[in-house]
Amino acid sequence: MQKNNILFEKNIAIIKRRLIPLHDGLLKYIETRIEEGKVIIDESARGEKVVGVVRDNRCWYLNSRYDAENAVKCWADGVEEINFRGIVIMNGISNMMYAREMLKRLGKDNILVLFEPDPAILVKVIEETDVSDILEDDRVFIFANDINMTFFRQYFGILFEYDRINYSKILTLPNYGMLFPDEIGEFEELCEKELIAIHTDKNTYIHLGEEINDNHIDNIWSSIFSSSIDELKKTIDKTDIKGVPAIIVAAGPSLDKNIELVREAKGKALIVAVDSAIKAMMARDIIPDLLVTIDSHKPMSLFEDERIEYIPLVICMQSRVEILQKHKGKMFMSANMSYIKSIYRQLGTDLSVLSTGGSVANNAFSLVKFLGFKTIIFIGQDLAFTDNKKHVKNAYTETAVGEDESEEYIEIEDQNGDPILTFRNFKLYRDWFESEIRDNPDLHVINATEGGAKIHGTEIITFREAIDKYCNKNVDFNKLIELAADSFSAEQKLEYFEILMDMPNKLNKLKKRFEKGIRDYNRFYELLRKGKNGTSEFRHVLKSIEEVNNIDLKEQIMEFVVMYAMEDEYRLIEGIYDVEKSADIKSEGREIADRGISMLNSYIKACARVIERVEYVLENIVDENRIEMLKAEVESHKKEK
Amino acid sequence: MISKIDGLLEEIPRICEQLYQNDIINANQGMAKIFPEINRLYLDVINMRADYEAIGIDLPVEILISQLKNMLEAYEAKDVIMLADCLKYEIYEGLLYFRGIADAKK
């Protein structure tokens, strides 16, 4: 069908340029498709190309067979007004006339996400109709089952900025609900989960933002002298780990059942413990190969055993600072903020991100996936209240599952398909694992927890069986991990330290820029009030305001500032685009100026807070002796040259 | 009969709009009301075939039956597009035709 198909060539060339995962998925689907003929392209009475799906001995048309354009206009007339920052998600593409009409009615800042549950429809439309105008449109993103859905979550996080969420709308094209109820249901559930994740992030930042940001700044010192997960990967890559599993030891109550067996797997699998499980492991003298700690407020009681200080630690900038400071063994940094990532890049090295669903076990999963392990075994990954308990013995002093927290509970499916109680956030962690497993078909994930929630997509066996079946090759991970280099050379470490020293200076400049921004906002309102909004001065003030509002795009250190101002920012963003139509230009201008000034005042306060924290680091955390030693090392390198 | 036809001619465009807009709940409510009325009207007219022949009107019975069948198929399958098309471009035209011949019969 594709050979000499001009329409297909034209459409696919645009897709290749704009929507790469869709392009690759489409070509793969076309190569392997088996069912042809169930989707047809017909002509309406007006000669328009319309789509039909043959099912149950009848043809379901997805457009009017008499006057498709008129029906599409009628459909679009029924869509309620969409905010200028809104995102429209359409279930179904039909012949894309609906999308074309919607685009005519949307503004330049809107986004249109098209979801096609049946890949055969998308392929047919691309093969037989000219939809190049829609494919070319920067506002359009297309996802189709069996083609590029594995990329949906990544795009979702980027497209659905927090301020757009309240203005998003899901529309279903006629007949799609009848033909594809399950597929549409699943897609909408996926959207809902992603939205919940965005809200959860927001709540986390509001409740823990200050603490997290304190850690971000305090941990700069540790990051100068750490290794990174990228260096760890380089080392692991030197060994053949094909057929070697990674075992993630989490702290669910079922860990008591099989923790002793971890000893047997040592040297035959990479043993990665999450921080909550370490106390139980140490109580049995079982030392993991890696320990992951991410939470900014992890109880120090978990780290009391001095031997833990020598276990290679996987961290990120928000990890609890006290844990990093007392650690004597190797530390592997991962990225959780772009500013630090940009510093690494500036110094000529990489720092990769470990994606997460909110729990440290999610990070551990991302870590082993990043390191290249294809077989992943879970133990202690209950994610539910097995035998009415929340965690393994020794982890925490905890209250029993009871009425007082019942609002936080939800019922999910256990490993036998029976109902089991869990925390709502545990369900989110499980959902994240399931999405990862679905999106990474090359991974083989074994749930050897022997209790707790069912994680769909995993092989459920006992840990004994998992060890016998998968842990058959010897690899000395202890030795390998010790070989990983630091992220930076002595010269780079000094350069990084200078960046830290220069931060207050940078932040003071930013403060001055925000103060000017406030003056600009006041001038903006004054000019508006006097009716001078057509003057060159007004345009100049507007440009200056635009610059200050986009300063985070130029100054990456703003990430620290924004984190301290997060609560104010969320509050000010709420309803920012609900401009009342009846409001006159002057009161609208006052509202804009007031919001802008509030935000800039909040940034000024946050700048002072970052400066204060950096000064705290320089006075209390930085070890001058270490800096002197670095300087001496750099000097000796120079002499050697 | 004429008032019944006029009532349907008024209702059908509104229901078609709801169907094209995928507003299934409201469209279903409207359809539940007009579906038996259309059915009855079509059958009444077809049954009066001999009366119409007597005044020189040759009813296109096959077309009328096919319109009814299409509407029934779409309604039973819950195919909103076919139903809207059928109502807008077939039944509506059929009703206009009925109105014309009813006037002629008077």
Side-chain angles (χ1 to χ4, degrees):
Chain A
M1 179 52 81
Q2 279 73 50
K3 274 185 187 169
N4 305 319
N5 181 338
I6 295 166
L7 286 175
F8 179 79
E9 292 300 334
K10 187 177 177 186
N11 290 328
I12 203 81
I14 301 166
I15 294 174
K16 189 178 180 182
R17 180 161 41 78
R18 263 204 71 225
L19 307 160
I20 296 165
L22 178 68
H23 172 264
D24 298 347
L26 268 171
L27 294 191
K28 208 168 151 193
Y29 175 82
I30 290 167
E31 248 177 48
T32 54
R33 72 176 154 184
I34 30 174
E35 202 177 353
E36 285 213 62
K38 64 171 187 154
V39 179
I40 58 155
I41 297 280
D42 202 348
E43 272 198 11
S44 74
R46 292 181 67 231
E48 300 148 312
K49 285 185 178 174
V50 296
V51 181
V53 177
V54 179
R55 190 191 281 186
D56 303 330
N57 297 321
R58 68 185 300 274
C59 184
W60 294 74
Y61 281 89
L62 298 172
N63 300 94
S64 166
R65 292 174 69 195
Y66 284 90
D67 186 343
E69 194 183 347
N70 176 65
V72 164
K73 280 189 176 144
C74 178
W75 171 83
D77 287 343
V79 176
E80 284 169 22
E81 196 181 340
I82 290 154
N83 182 280
F84 75 101
R85 288 273 295 165
I87 299 180
V88 177
I89 302 173
M90 266 167 57
N91 285 320
I93 60 161
S94 170
N95 64 351
M96 292 222 194
M97 278 177 96
Y98 290 92
R100 187 174 287 118
E101 184 63 29
M102 187 46 72
L103 286 168
K104 277 186 209 161
R105 299 174 187 222
L106 292 176
K108 65 177 176 51
D109 290 328
N110 288 117
I111 291 172
L112 180 62
V113 176
L114 304 178
F115 165 64
E116 178 48 62
D118 186 346
I121 294 177
L122 178 63
V123 171
K124 200 78 175 168
V125 168
I126 286 169
E127 283 175 341
E128 298 195 29
T129 67
D130 182 359
V131 286
S132 55
D133 57 328
I134 295 160
L135 300 172
E136 281 279 14
D137 198 310
D138 286 339
R139 296 169 296 173
V140 175
F141 296 86
I142 303 172
F143 297 91
N145 271 351
D146 301 335
I147 289 187
N148 63 339
M149 284 310 288
T150 52
F151 291 88
F152 180 72
R153 286 166 59 228
Q154 290 174 26
Y155 274 84
F156 197 96
I158 299 164
L159 297 176
F160 281 73
E161 295 160 287
Y162 185 74
D163 64 313
R164 289 182 185 269
I165 290 178
N166 290 338
Y167 306 108
S168 54
K169 202 178 276 272
I170 299 186
L171 306 169
T172 300
L173 297 192
N175 275 351
Y176 269 89
M178 274 304 291
L179 285 168
F180 309 105
D182 295 342
E183 293 86 343
I184 287 173
E186 273 172 31
F187 175 69
E188 289 186 358
E189 201 179 310
L190 181 62
C191 292
E192 200 179 318
K193 277 180 192 167
E194 293 303 318
L195 285 175
I196 290 171
I198 291 174
H199 277 291
T200 309
D201 280 354
K202 175 200 151 189
N203 292 337
T204 306
Y205 283 126
I206 285 179
H207 292 121
L208 300 170
E210 290 229 347
E211 180 185 283
I212 290 173
N213 213 23
D214 286 352
N215 285 354
H216 282 159
I217 299 168
D218 293 356
N219 285 333
I220 292 176
W221 175 251
S222 295
S223 75
I224 295 175
F225 297 94
S226 298
S227 183
S228 67
I229 56 165
D230 300 82
E231 291 300 328
L232 181 60
K233 182 166 168 49
K234 280 182 203 164
T235 308
I236 300 271
D237 281 349
K238 287 176 190 156
T239 304
D240 179 15
I241 55 161
K242 200 176 169 197
V244 179
I247 298 172
I248 295 174
V249 185
S254 295
L255 185 60
D256 288 322
K257 296 176 197 166
N258 50 23
I259 190 170
E260 282 293 337
L261 291 176
V262 177
R263 222 185 296 277
E264 280 187 40
K266 185 89 180 159
K268 291 174 177 168
L270 178 76
I271 316 281
V272 182
V274 306
D275 44 15
S276 306
I278 193 63
K279 207 171 166 183
M281 293 182 83
M282 299 313 282
R284 291 167 176 87
D285 298 324
I286 302 168
I287 314 284
D289 298 313
L290 289 167
L291 174 59
V292 185
T293 185
I294 300 295
D295 289 0
S296 59
H297 57 289
K298 209 73 203 171
M300 287 307 288
S301 59
L302 290 170
F303 293 84
E304 279 164 357
D305 190 318
E306 286 181 2
R307 290 173 297 171
I308 297 172
E309 292 168 20
Y310 297 91
I311 299 172
L313 208 55
V314 176
I315 52 173
C316 70
M317 294 300 286
Q318 74 167 48
S319 305
R320 183 160 180 173
V321 64
E322 292 87 345
I323 299 169
L324 273 56
Q325 303 230 312
K326 68 183 270 203
H327 199 74
K328 298 185 177 73
K330 282 217 166 266
M331 288 197 281
F332 298 99
M333 183 60 74
S334 62
N336 68 313
M337 56 184 317
S338 20
Y339 177 49
I340 296 298
K341 202 172 157 63
S342 76
I343 293 178
Y344 274 62
R345 211 176 298 129
Q346 187 186 329
L347 297 172
T349 187
D350 284 331
L351 187 65
S352 294
V353 178
L354 293 180
S355 64
T356 184
S359 106
V360 63
N362 294 149
N363 291 71
F365 181 92
S366 293
L367 171 73
V368 298
K369 187 180 98 175
F370 172 76
L371 294 177
F373 289 87
K374 300 292 176 203
T375 305
I376 302 170
I377 301 170
F378 289 150
I379 57 169
Q381 196 55 260
D382 292 71
L383 292 170
F385 308 146
T386 309
D387 302 327
N388 238 20
K389 289 177 203 148
K390 299 169 192 169
H391 289 96
V392 64
K393 266 186 220 163
N394 309 88
Y396 305 105
T397 312
E398 64 185 16
T399 54
V401 176
E403 286 282 311
D404 53 332
E405 292 173 316
S406 60
E407 278 186 11
E408 294 172 39
Y409 300 161
I410 192 168
E411 210 171 67
I412 55 172
E413 196 183 355
D414 77 0
Q415 295 204 348
N416 303 314
D418 296 321
I420 188 168
L421 274 184
T422 189
F423 280 125
R424 288 180 189 277
N425 57 343
F426 280 16
K427 181 182 174 291
L428 289 179
Y429 307 154
R430 186 206 61 172
D431 291 347
W432 183 89
F433 279 128
E434 290 180 350
S435 305
E436 281 292 312
I437 293 166
R438 195 185 54 233
D439 294 352
N440 294 280
D442 59 329
L443 295 182
H444 179 201
V445 184
I446 296 120
N447 190 355
T449 297
E450 300 176 35
K454 179 180 272 182
I455 303 173
H456 295 92
T458 58
E459 179 189 0
I460 301 172
I461 51 176
T462 64
F463 191 32
R464 170 82 273 154
E465 287 168 323
I467 291 174
D468 292 345
K469 203 169 164 188
Y470 299 107
C471 301
N472 302 311
K473 202 171 158 184
N474 292 320
V475 183
D476 188 347
F477 283 111
N478 281 344
K479 204 170 151 191
L480 258 180
I481 290 166
E482 280 307 314
L483 291 174
D486 282 356
S487 296
F488 306 110
S489 65
E491 287 78 2
Q492 288 169 319
K493 283 174 184 163
L494 266 187
E495 207 181 320
Y496 193 173
F497 181 64
E498 277 158 20
I499 293 172
L500 173 66
M501 299 256 285
D502 189 45
M503 280 180 191
N505 182 30
K506 264 193 157 176
L507 288 154
N508 276 319
K509 280 184 190 160
L510 272 179
K511 261 174 77 180
K512 284 192 180 127
R513 182 66 188 88
F514 294 140
E515 282 157 5
K516 182 181 179 302
I518 290 173
R519 290 196 298 275
D520 285 339
Y521 267 118
N522 282 323
R523 186 70 189 139
F524 155 83
Y525 177 65
E526 270 309 296
L527 291 169
L528 196 69
R529 196 174 59 83
K530 290 177 182 164
K532 292 183 176 175
N533 46 340
T535 60
S536 62
E537 189 192 358
F538 187 78
R539 283 194 295 275
H540 178 75
V541 168
L542 271 187
K543 195 165 180 277
S544 180
I545 288 173
E546 196 185 338
E547 273 170 21
V548 79
N549 283 337
N550 290 327
I551 209 158
D552 56 330
L553 303 176
K554 271 170 67 184
E555 298 290 346
Q556 286 183 300
I557 199 169
M558 272 298 290
E559 202 172 356
F560 284 146
V561 178
V562 170
M563 282 285 285
Y564 280 135
M566 193 68 88
E567 194 172 347
D568 287 338
E569 187 160 302
Y570 277 125
R571 184 174 45 78
L572 289 163
I573 278 175
E574 302 275 352
I576 194 167
Y577 302 118
D578 292 336
V579 180
E580 276 188 41
K581 279 183 178 164
S582 56
D584 64 83
I585 190 162
K586 282 179 194 164
S587 47
E588 201 181 299
R590 186 69 262 171
E591 166 84 18
I592 291 168
D594 286 347
R595 275 183 193 268
I597 291 168
S598 296
M599 198 66 252
L600 294 179
N601 270 325
S602 170
Y603 284 163
I604 290 170
K605 242 170 43 193
C607 277
R609 182 93 170 75
V610 182
I611 293 171
E612 194 184 299
R613 199 72 203 180
V614 172
E615 282 167 352
Y616 167 83
V617 172
L618 292 172
E619 280 165 29
N620 299 290
I621 298 181
V622 166
D623 178 350
E624 290 293 342
N625 290 332
R626 229 165 158 182
I627 294 296
E628 287 310 314
M629 279 163 68
L630 271 181
K631 283 179 182 167
E633 197 182 335
V634 170
E635 275 307 307
S636 94
H637 286 168
K638 278 181 189 165
K639 278 178 192 161
E640 278 170 25
K641 278 180 192 169
Chain B
M1 180 153 106
I2 290 178
S3 67
K4 231 179 218 174
I5 294 172
D6 285 345
L8 286 168
L9 287 172
E10 210 179 298
E11 282 280 294
I12 286 175
R14 194 176 50 80
I15 294 171
C16 286
E17 193 177 277
Q18 288 164 344
L19 288 166
Y20 284 135
Q21 289 177 351
N22 212 21
D23 177 3
I24 294 168
I25 295 171
N26 286 319
N28 277 346
Q29 280 175 4
M31 273 310 290
K33 189 173 156 253
I34 67 162
F35 181 77
E37 287 179 20
I38 294 171
N39 222 9
R40 170 68 55 85
L41 197 68
Y42 262 66
L43 292 177
D44 284 350
V45 172
I46 292 167
N47 287 335
M48 288 194 290
R49 183 183 187 170
D51 296 349
Y52 283 114
E53 264 173 10
I55 57 167
I57 297 171
D58 194 10
L59 283 182
V61 175
E62 276 184 22
I63 294 176
L64 296 177
I65 288 175
S66 133
Q67 287 176 346
L68 259 192
K69 273 186 179 169
N70 286 346
M71 184 180 71
L72 184 66
E73 183 197 328
Y75 190 53
E76 279 180 351
K78 296 182 178 138
D79 181 338
V80 290
I81 291 180
M82 183 179 176
L83 190 55
D85 275 355
C86 185
L87 286 173
K88 186 175 169 81
Y89 298 101
E90 297 177 14
I91 302 290
Y92 192 86
E93 294 301 315
L95 292 175
L96 284 178
Y97 172 72
F98 292 166
R99 206 183 186 294
I101 59 173
D103 280 341
K105 201 168 171 241
K106 269 200 284 186

